[in-house]
Amino acid sequence: MNFGMFTGFHVRDGKSQAQTFADAFAQVAAAEELGIDTVWLAELHFQPERSVLASPIVIASAIAARTQRVRVGLAVQVLPLGNPVRMAEEAATVDHISQGRFDFGVGRSGLTKFYQGYNIPYSESRSRFSEALDIILQGWTQETFSYEGQYFSFHDVAVTPKPFQQPHPPIYVASASPESFIQAGSRGFPIFVSMQAPLLEQGLEQYRAAWHEAGHPGNGAAHLRAPVYVGETPELARSQPKASAMHGVRYAAEELSLTAATEAQAANMRRLANMSYNEVLEKRVIFGSPDEVAHRLGHLKARLGLSGVVLEINYGGQIPQELVLNSIQLLAQEVMPQVKEGSER
């Protein structure tokens, strides 16, 4: 059971961008010291009120150079927005800097704002994603390669360096639609899934059916992304992150609904606007004492057959730094041992 921490380099109200970087790197240092397995990074563009994490591959390189043990992963690199040969080179470089502690998570993102900013039609996102992933894999596994596609064309290209991990770093695919679950299962990739995704269990069934039909060994590997906050008591665990969580809910309802890829996604986000905090606690987050959080994670692990978790430690981005660090410590020292011990039974 991989225990991962997701950090979004969130911008807190009244804090500078420089302080945002300093706080996020302090959280990473805590993860390294306390034994968290993996630090995961998002890719977020054109939202200065939300995050400074526009270049996760650069941040991954900085984390790799600052740490000795923790793995660093992307959750996710938005493949349709970039040049796949360049991404292959940069990811392989981070793999060497980290000495093989790098995980390459990829996806399309559900926010059209990113695509508008990069002047790429969102309608091309799925086909661009497939081309980019194929090119990256060829670049990593062939000395030289050529490719002729709808969007990209390369002739006798030699991606350098080749990855440190052979044949390449682990590739994780963010999956939310039936098509993405089936494609990831057919190709034998581990996946990220959101606790808040509709039809989550149905999607995992589709993923595993496609996995077995393609003849891959085992049962696939699903990592669940979920907002988590751990407090010393149940009361503190609910009261301390409340303002930040409701800020996150309102942000999703007001801002993200305008840039959702589909009307169904937009409608789902708009429904958040009227959600009470009790509903948020029940349906969207895992907030509680160490024992409560360990119990919920253990239950989800057993019910969904999880291989790992990607725990968003500052949902809404407005939890004070000292409370975030305290939650990470409780998570690592009191929750993680319980969940891992249960996984080994």
Side-chain angles (χ1 to χ4, degrees):
M1 178 76 166
N2 183 281
F3 226 83
M5 182 185 87
F6 179 90
T7 179
F9 280 64
H10 296 291
V11 178
R12 281 180 57 206
D13 290 344
K15 297 294 183 180
S16 67
Q17 292 187 348
Q19 187 63 51
T20 297
F21 279 100
D23 287 350
F25 280 125
Q27 294 163 16
V28 170
E32 164 83 352
E33 179 182 351
L34 292 166
I36 299 290
D37 294 321
T38 307
V39 171
W40 296 99
L41 305 168
E43 179 180 349
L44 301 166
H45 298 284
F46 316 124
Q47 298 169 333
E49 75 288 348
R50 182 185 182 193
S51 173
V52 296
L53 191 48
S55 186
I57 197 73
V58 174
I59 298 298
S61 182
I63 291 172
R66 289 166 178 250
T67 57
Q68 298 294 322
R69 181 201 57 78
V70 70
R71 295 188 68 82
V72 56
L74 307 186
V76 294
Q77 181 93 57
V78 184
L79 291 191
L81 299 183
N83 182 298
V85 167
R86 183 60 175 258
M87 287 188 282
E89 293 170 333
E90 292 178 343
T93 299
V94 176
D95 199 32
H96 278 274
I97 292 170
S98 69
Q99 293 285 285
R101 291 183 288 125
F102 179 65
D103 294 321
F104 192 54
V106 297
R108 295 186 298 127
S109 177
L111 297 180
T112 58
K113 186 173 187 175
F114 298 174
Y115 287 80
Q116 292 164 358
Y118 275 87
N119 199 29
I120 295 172
Y122 191 81
S123 59
E124 298 175 359
S125 64
R126 189 175 297 279
S127 51
R128 281 181 177 270
F129 174 87
S130 295
E131 275 196 25
L133 185 54
D134 287 342
I135 290 165
I136 290 168
L137 286 170
Q138 288 185 41
W140 281 346
T141 58
Q142 299 178 23
E143 286 303 315
T144 62
F145 77 100
S146 297
Y147 186 93
E148 287 290 344
Q150 183 178 357
Y151 307 106
F152 301 103
S153 177
F154 300 101
H155 302 284
D156 296 324
V157 174
V159 167
T160 304
K162 293 294 189 266
F164 182 91
Q165 299 174 88
Q166 291 297 312
H168 52 72
I171 294 174
Y172 295 77
V173 178
S175 300
S177 66
E179 295 87 352
S180 59
F181 279 113
I182 292 168
Q183 184 180 50
S186 296
R187 299 191 66 172
F189 292 130
I191 58 173
F192 298 121
V193 294
S194 172
M195 186 182 82
Q196 301 157 1
L199 304 177
L200 173 57
E201 293 186 66
Q202 179 179 325
L204 288 172
E205 290 176 2
Q206 293 171 321
Y207 167 69
R208 289 171 177 138
W211 178 282
H212 292 301
E213 186 174 343
H216 301 298
N219 199 36
H223 283 51
L224 181 73
R225 177 176 166 179
V228 168
Y229 185 83
V230 190
E232 281 84 355
T233 67
E235 294 75 22
L236 289 174
R238 288 157 179 75
S239 63
Q240 289 173 338
K242 179 178 179 179
S244 182
M246 295 310 291
H247 172 84
V249 167
R250 288 191 296 270
Y251 185 87
E254 296 168 7
E255 169 69 15
L256 302 185
S257 63
L258 301 176
T259 61
T262 67
E263 176 54 33
Q265 290 173 333
N268 183 55
M269 290 177 179
R270 287 194 294 269
R271 281 194 290 272
L272 296 177
N274 298 317
M275 186 173 282
S276 69
Y277 187 51
N278 284 337
E279 290 177 293
V280 171
L281 291 171
E282 179 183 352
K283 299 176 181 179
R284 297 190 65 83
V285 301
I286 302 173
F287 292 174
S289 67
D291 287 346
E292 288 177 326
V293 172
H295 176 76
R296 287 193 66 184
L297 290 176
H299 175 72
L300 286 166
K301 192 260 178 202
R303 179 163 65 89
L304 300 175
L306 301 176
S307 298
V309 288
V310 180
L311 303 178
E312 185 175 355
I313 58 167
N314 189 0
Y315 182 52
Q318 301 300 307
I319 301 174
Q321 172 76 346
E322 64 274 13
L323 294 181
V324 173
L325 292 174
N326 186 65
S327 179
I328 294 171
Q329 183 173 352
L330 292 171
L331 185 68
Q333 295 181 339
E334 300 190 33
V335 175
M336 188 167 67
Q338 292 189 58
V339 177
K340 290 204 169 192
E341 180 182 351
S343 301
E344 292 169 0
R345 291 174 181 169

